[in-house]
Structures are given as C-alpha cells and as structure tokens.
Amino acid sequence: MYGSKSVPEIFQRKPEFSKPSQFKLKSWTDTIAGYQHEAKKLTTCILKNRKLLGRPYRWFVTIYIWDVMPPKDAAALWTKVCRNLRRQGIVALWVREPTKKNKVHYHLLVSSQQTEQQLLAAIEAAMPSRKAVGWHKSVDPVDDRWWLAFYITKAKIQGRYKGNVVPDKYFTKRLLFKPGTNLKKHGTIGKFWLKSTKAIWKEVQDKEKKIAEGLADERVRKLAKHVHELINGYYPLKTIERNFGYSAESPAVQDWIAALEAEESFTP
C-alpha cells in the first residue's frame, strides 16, 4: 500500500489554457488548448476506427485504482495488466486519467468479442490481488453510444452542465497530468487500430482540406444556402455546406450550379 502524503500530486490544479506559440498546441500536458487538440484527434480516430470495424465496440470498462502510487509504480502496474489482458485475447484502447485524490483510473474500449463473463474473468486474472493493490471495476456493453469516445478522452463537446447547455461539457472533469510524470495518456491492448492513427488522421485532414477548397467557391456556398432554404432548414446549413464543399467538383454539383446560375437571384 502507498501513502498519499509521500507522493507529489500528478495532476495540475490550475493548468494554463494556452501559451504563445507559432505552432498549434498539441500536448496532453502543457495547456488546456493542447489537451483539447489531442483529445479531438484521438476521439476522431476512435470514431473512424469504429466505422472501419463495421460494428460498435463491445464493452466499456473502467478500472479504478484505490491506492495513491508514484508514477513509476503506476506505469509498471498497468504495463503488466495490459500484458496479461493481451495474453487472454483482449483487444482494447485504454485511456489513463488522474483524479483529484491523486489516484489514477483507466477507461477501456474493448473491441474483441468476449462475453461479459469471459471479460470479467480476464480482468480479475490480469489485475493484482486486492490485498496488494486496492481496485474495483465497472463493465458495461457499448451498443451504439458514439458519445463514449468524447467521454473517455474528455474531448470538447457541447452538452448540458447543471441543467444548462455549455460549449464544453467535460470541462470540470478534464484533469491534466503534470509534465514529466512519464505517464502515457493512452495506449492499446492487442491490435485495436485497423489503420494507424497517423493514417486515419491524414484522411481526416485531407477531407477537411477538400471541403475548405470547395467552400472557397462562393457559388458552392450559395448552392448550399439555396438547398437549406429549399428544405426549410431540415438539415443544418453547416452540414449541407460540408457535403457540397466535399463534392464541389462533382458533375452533379457543377451541373446544379450551372442550372441555377441562369437565375439572376443566384448570381454571386
């Protein structure tokens, strides 16, 4: 067992939101803005990987460690747990979070198809004896809950907080590790990613670039607005703009623009 007084805090109580930089902030630990960027990237990869998988992830697991542990010991413990789970055929993404009590817990998205009983048995076998390290777990089926990707990473997303709609639902739950703890924020057990995160993110960036290039044409934006009005706002204008921006060079979109350009009211 470990004493909390002997272990310095591993999380930041008042992290900076941003820092002056000529580059986009991209660290899980330096600033809140950097964390948000990394969380958005990981969340997007989780959702894209789910599409590649062709089905929902199977299980959502949280493992809570009761003991306050030095970062080196926490990392060693989790490395051993992951190795044991992998040997039992578990395939999952894990995300590590600090708590305000200076402890750590882990969220896992399990993609392998074990039954609940098989998964419970695998976790019990992989984790240390509770006499050596205190811990408990929760295991829930995922079904089609896409929002779990945001919850696990604490990515920025609009939602309700104390009854009010806020732009950053998880801002009170988002804790940043202190730089230098050497505790990885996330990792995998087995072959979780069907493509590398680098490849997945490159596809996302290429798509966003294509949409931006398409919407640089004012005629495409006017077409999106025309369709938005035509359907009485059934779909958000931004959604329509993105769809037309991505397909801006297609014959269908260009022919539609050409047909509407004959109308004086459509001329940019």
Side-chain angles (χ1 to χ4, degrees):
M1 305 294 286
Y2 300 88
S4 59
K5 293 183 179 179
S6 62
V7 180
E9 288 187 340
I10 59 175
F11 67 97
Q12 301 178 50
R13 289 193 173 272
K14 294 183 178 180
E16 294 183 83
F17 181 81
S18 185
K19 293 179 180 178
S21 175
Q22 59 179 326
F23 303 106
K24 194 174 187 67
L25 298 171
K26 298 181 179 181
S27 170
W28 286 102
T29 58
D30 282 354
T31 62
I32 294 173
Y35 183 109
Q36 289 176 339
H37 172 82
E38 293 295 339
K40 177 183 178 180
K41 181 177 177 180
L42 181 57
T43 301
T44 302
C45 288
I46 290 171
L47 296 174
K48 294 293 183 183
N49 191 66
R50 177 186 176 281
K51 286 187 176 180
L52 293 172
L53 193 62
R55 57 173 172 78
Y57 295 115
R58 186 70 178 91
W59 300 102
F60 170 50
V61 179
T62 301
I63 296 177
Y64 303 85
I65 307 297
W66 297 349
D67 296 356
V68 176
M69 305 177 70
K72 184 178 179 180
D73 294 334
L77 169 64
W78 191 244
T79 296
K80 184 176 180 180
V81 170
C82 290
R83 183 167 59 246
N84 291 338
L85 288 173
R86 184 171 60 251
R87 287 171 177 169
Q88 296 180 82
I90 304 298
V91 178
L93 167 79
W94 59 263
V95 177
R96 176 188 275 130
E97 289 190 338
T99 74
K100 291 182 179 179
K101 293 184 178 181
N102 212 33
K103 303 174 183 180
V104 293
H105 62 273
Y106 301 88
H107 294 309
L108 291 85
L109 266 183
V110 179
S111 62
S112 49
Q113 293 296 292
Q114 285 82 9
T115 65
E116 183 174 9
Q117 292 305 313
Q118 289 171 333
L119 179 59
L120 291 171
I123 295 171
E124 290 292 334
M127 291 292 294
S129 162
R130 289 178 175 81
K131 292 182 179 180
V133 177
W135 61 276
H136 72 277
K137 65 184 181 300
S138 64
V139 176
D140 296 290
V142 173
D143 299 326
D144 200 26
R145 289 176 285 175
W146 60 270
W147 54 265
L148 264 179
F150 290 85
Y151 175 74
I152 289 171
T153 64
K154 301 302 182 288
K156 183 177 180 180
I157 185 176
Q158 180 176 294
R160 288 193 171 274
Y161 175 71
K162 292 185 177 180
N164 299 312
V165 176
V166 295
D168 190 2
K169 181 178 180 179
Y170 299 122
F171 74 100
T172 61
K173 294 181 177 293
R174 185 184 300 122
L175 293 182
L176 278 63
F177 282 108
K178 284 184 176 179
T181 60
N182 295 319
L183 287 171
K184 286 181 62 178
K185 181 62 179 176
H186 61 90
T188 58
I189 301 168
K191 188 174 175 53
F192 178 82
W193 301 111
L194 299 189
K195 290 184 180 180
S196 70
T197 54
K198 182 177 180 180
I200 293 174
W201 189 243
K202 178 64 165 53
E203 291 177 0
V204 171
Q205 290 177 310
D206 289 345
K207 180 178 180 180
E208 292 302 315
K209 181 180 178 182
K210 187 175 181 180
I211 291 171
E213 290 174 347
L215 292 178
D217 185 342
E218 183 63 24
R219 300 177 309 152
V220 176
R221 288 185 177 275
K222 289 187 71 71
L223 175 60
K225 183 178 180 181
H226 170 78
V227 172
H228 184 253
E229 293 172 351
L230 194 66
I231 62 175
N232 294 318
Y234 185 80
Y235 292 108
L237 176 59
K238 185 176 180 179
T239 300
I240 299 172
E241 284 182 337
R242 287 179 58 81
N243 286 332
F244 279 118
Y246 183 77
S247 305
E249 297 180 356
S250 70
V253 171
Q254 289 299 316
D255 288 348
W256 199 346
I257 289 174
L260 290 173
E261 279 183 324
E263 301 177 19
E264 184 177 349
S265 61
F266 185 75
T267 303

